[in-house]
Amino acid sequence: MTLLDSTRSRIRNRGAHNGNRRVGAVEFIAAAVALFLLAAALFPSWLAPYQPLAINPADAFQAPSPDHWFGTDESGRDIYSRVIFGARESLLIGAAATAIGVGLALVLGALAGLGGRLLDFGVGRLLEVLFALPGLLLALVFIAIAGPGVVTTTVAVGLSTAPGYARIIRGQIIQVRSSAMVEAAVVLGRSRAQVLRRHLLPNALAPVFVIGTLGVGQAVVWAASLSFLGLGEPPPAAEWGAMLSAGRTYLTTAWWMTFFPGLFIVLTAAASTVLGRGLQRRAVS
Amino acid sequence: MAAARWLLFKALGAVFVLWAVTTLIFFGIRMIPGDPAEAILGGPGSQASAEALAQVRADYGLDEPLLVQYFMQLGRLLQGDLGDSYSMQVPVSSLLAEQLPPTLVLAFLALVLAWVVALALASWSMLSGRGAAVISSGLEIAGAAVPHFWLATVLIVVFSVNLGWLPPVNTGGVDGLVLPVVTLALPLAGFLGQVMRESMLNAATSPFALSARFRGETERGVLFRHSLRHAAIPGIALSGWAFGSLISGAVVVETIFARPGLGRTLLRAVTDRDIPLVTGVALVAALAYVVVMALSDIAERLADPRVAKR
């Protein structure tokens, strides 16, 4: 058995755990990116050389240069400054959508996990139906019903992420409910409310932080996709999705109008994925 | 006998999902303020006259009680009638029949390409010691963080604008399919590769792989004769989900590359708030999802005999 174990660890070491050092470096970069984005969201004027809405028609459609790092758009606005100023609203949309998704998931997960067999069955079927419209489809159907706009887009993204989160939270609650800890508390004569407050809720909430960190990046990507399709905030707002949607028209002539706002979305999503996975690994071990 | 029961069970599940999607959309619409008759005539901006609104209400049965309307719609649905599109005034079913094939081709090709790329990456990371950690974390990040619209932008700028190898928009030919398929496939390959790698790692460290090594099997042999099959299992299990995410990705990809298809139809229907068309696309997507889930169930049984015994 020791031989098997040593082979196992030798082969495993080729992979993910090969080093914690390397993973650490990636996480460090992700944290730096996250800090930069937060700084941009809180104090954009420190980082941006121009005003986000300042038009300068003489400078329209400039390619990236030392003067305009990310180029300029059709009205000569500086894309870099717009991306920096856009961070606040884009991150807020992502955070709000995640909060909605996690909130809904907590309600559904708690109903399924604590509400008895009938409720669990009902919630389970509802989730199944929602899973049949994966990703953007559910969000699009919701927008079709409620009409386009920033608020609906945000709610739509939250709604479409909720089923996946709800399944995780339900699983967690069920696992905790059948754990020895809860059994012991019941044997000791603790009331239902006490068991719920002392054991079930704190443990059920544990994955919420991981989900939240992972989810913000995903929500920013989805909200941006919807904006890119023209369903979010209308241009010329300095919001990443709105910038994407404005740049789409000029994709083949002025690629930087779409590329750089998109790059910031990718950075946001990558940072949140790396940090979320890091939290998850730590929570597991 | 077991197979027939399984099939019946799946079919009932599919009917339930379709019924629930219709019902959710039907009552969802009614909960939002606004007059459906007005939407049919082009939205609040259309300044439709009172007579026109009354006419539309009568035509579409909108003056009936809500439950009557609901059962009328379910009845029509049972006969395969999805109603007429508000914005295009043609039957939804004929629109869908026209738009479904291009999307299915796109999604299917992307799924195949994603599988090939994911298997290649996962196998490579098993064989190469140093690249493995980098690949695994890179895949994970790429799969989760690279949105379709951004990848498409990069591909268009590189391959159409700068190199001029491929057209940036659909030309109807095969070369117009390359960029859309690659755009859809790569993020998916990131997800699949990550999962496949994990499963191959478990297989490569299991007792049967160890005993194969003792028999003198090479690492390469362990990979191809033992681990590969294990990589396929979670890949197949995820394919139903993957297909669904491809269809939702198709909304973005079809819009960027100006391709006909279900995704672009859905987007137009959403912007026009063309509810019968939205419902129709949602039903087709849900049905496709259910069918692909069932197929991946069967494939999983074929790839892994243990599943059938469970």
Side-chain angles (χ1 to χ4, degrees):
Chain A
M1 203 55 209
T2 49
L3 182 62
L4 186 59
D5 283 341
S6 75
T7 324
R8 191 169 285 172
S9 72
R10 186 171 58 77
I11 295 176
R12 275 210 183 268
N13 280 342
R14 260 190 255 153
H17 299 288
N18 177 12
N20 282 324
R21 250 176 312 152
R22 194 189 294 278
V23 171
V26 174
E27 278 169 0
F28 184 77
I29 297 171
V33 169
L35 278 180
F36 175 76
L37 291 169
L38 274 182
L42 292 175
F43 314 106
S45 43
W46 293 4
L47 295 164
Y50 300 90
Q51 280 302 304
L53 293 171
I55 343 180
N56 184 2
D59 273 352
F61 294 123
Q62 298 277 315
S65 67
D67 274 349
H68 298 286
W69 295 352
F70 293 175
T72 61
D73 68 4
E74 78 276 18
S75 308
R77 290 178 290 235
D78 182 55
I79 305 266
Y80 171 69
S81 304
R82 286 171 65 69
V83 169
I84 294 292
F85 272 93
R88 181 179 299 170
E89 200 176 344
S90 303
L91 294 182
L92 270 180
I93 291 175
T98 313
I100 293 169
V102 171
L104 269 174
L106 273 175
V107 173
L108 286 176
L111 281 179
L114 302 170
R117 193 168 290 182
L118 203 65
L119 262 177
D120 190 17
F121 181 81
V123 172
R125 296 295 80 73
L126 177 67
L127 291 183
E128 221 162 80
V129 172
L130 295 181
F131 275 123
L133 291 175
L136 285 181
L137 290 184
L138 188 57
L140 283 170
V141 169
F142 179 76
I143 293 174
I145 293 173
V150 192
V151 177
T152 358
T153 310
T154 311
V155 178
V157 171
L159 185 72
S160 58
T161 50
Y165 300 159
R167 196 155 65 168
I168 299 172
I169 291 172
R170 172 186 171 272
Q172 179 80 9
I173 291 180
I174 287 178
Q175 199 189 336
V176 177
R177 203 183 55 187
S178 56
S179 69
M181 159 179 78
V182 168
E183 202 178 327
V186 172
V187 170
L188 285 172
R190 300 265 187 267
S191 71
R192 272 180 77 91
Q194 269 176 323
V195 173
L196 195 68
R197 207 182 61 235
R198 297 276 296 278
H199 300 290
L200 282 169
L201 281 184
N203 282 294
L205 288 178
V208 167
F209 295 100
V210 175
I211 293 176
T213 317
L214 282 171
V216 170
Q218 212 52 41
V220 168
V221 165
W222 284 17
S225 300
L226 291 171
S227 283
F228 178 82
L229 296 172
L231 299 168
E233 184 149 1
E239 189 267 329
W240 297 341
M243 295 177 69
L244 290 168
S245 133
R248 197 176 65 171
T249 327
Y250 310 105
L251 203 58
T252 48
T253 49
W255 53 268
W256 51 88
M257 284 178 65
T258 316
F259 179 84
F260 288 109
L263 182 67
F264 268 63
I265 289 162
V266 173
L267 283 177
T268 309
S272 102
T273 307
V274 171
L275 294 176
R277 292 277 175 233
L279 277 180
Q280 197 170 35
R281 264 192 282 271
R282 240 141 255 162
V284 168
S285 62
Chain B
M1 196 53 215
R5 248 180 55 197
W6 179 85
L7 202 66
L8 184 71
F9 194 67
K10 288 282 163 189
L12 282 178
V15 169
F16 168 74
V17 166
L18 293 183
W19 166 78
V21 168
T22 322
T23 306
L24 283 178
I25 295 180
F26 182 89
F27 288 106
I29 299 274
R30 269 31 182 217
M31 271 159 45
I32 301 293
D35 186 350
E38 209 169 51
I40 296 171
L41 289 172
S46 62
Q47 305 284 322
S49 65
E51 297 88 72
L53 285 174
Q55 182 62 41
V56 167
R57 275 193 204 104
D59 285 353
Y60 287 81
L62 292 171
D63 41 7
E64 304 280 343
L66 199 57
L67 274 180
V68 174
Q69 287 184 41
Y70 173 63
F71 284 110
M72 272 165 53
Q73 185 175 350
L74 282 189
R76 283 197 300 269
L77 200 64
L78 277 180
Q79 296 159 24
D81 177 10
L82 293 166
D84 287 352
S85 154
Y86 288 170
S87 57
M88 276 167 281
Q89 314 290 344
V90 284
V92 168
S93 44
S94 69
L95 271 174
L96 292 179
E98 205 176 279
Q99 304 291 337
L100 184 60
T103 302
L104 283 184
V105 170
L106 186 69
F108 179 74
L109 288 176
L111 189 59
V112 172
L113 180 64
W115 259 82
V116 171
V117 173
L119 271 180
L121 281 175
S123 314
W124 182 46
S125 89
M126 292 299 293
L127 289 176
S128 98
R130 230 186 321 157
V134 181
I135 296 173
S136 76
S137 57
L139 278 182
E140 189 169 4
I141 298 168
V146 178
H148 291 123
F149 61 80
W150 194 71
L151 187 55
T153 308
V154 174
L155 290 174
I156 288 178
V157 169
V158 173
F159 291 101
S160 304
V161 179
N162 286 330
L163 295 173
W165 289 352
L166 294 161
V169 290
N170 175 41
T171 49
V174 177
D175 55 350
L177 258 175
V178 178
L179 290 183
V181 168
V182 172
T183 304
L184 272 180
L186 286 188
L188 181 59
F191 270 117
L192 288 180
Q194 176 68 22
V195 179
M196 287 178 178
R197 190 179 167 284
E198 198 57 37
S199 171
M200 282 167 103
L201 203 61
N202 281 332
T205 54
S206 60
F208 68 78
L210 183 66
S211 77
R213 284 196 194 92
F214 280 157
R215 288 196 310 269
E217 187 73 282
T218 59
E219 277 304 302
R220 208 169 282 269
V222 172
L223 174 66
F224 287 113
R225 269 186 285 279
H226 298 280
S227 306
L228 211 53
R229 198 182 176 95
H230 285 259
I233 295 164
I236 292 169
L238 274 178
S239 283
W241 165 85
F243 193 79
S245 81
L246 283 175
I247 295 212
S248 82
V251 181
V252 174
V253 169
E254 286 171 359
T255 306
I256 297 182
F257 292 101
R259 289 182 55 77
L262 219 52
R264 207 149 68 112
T265 308
L266 175 62
L267 179 62
R268 199 168 50 188
V270 169
T271 353
D272 294 345
R273 299 188 71 182
D274 186 339
I275 298 304
L277 192 51
V278 171
T279 313
V281 176
L283 287 178
V284 170
L287 185 64
Y289 178 82
V290 173
V291 169
V292 175
M293 283 304 250
L295 287 179
S296 75
D297 244 32
I298 297 175
E300 207 178 346
R301 275 152 205 265
L302 293 178
D304 185 358
R306 291 172 305 181
V307 175
K309 293 199 190 104
R310 256 185 238 148

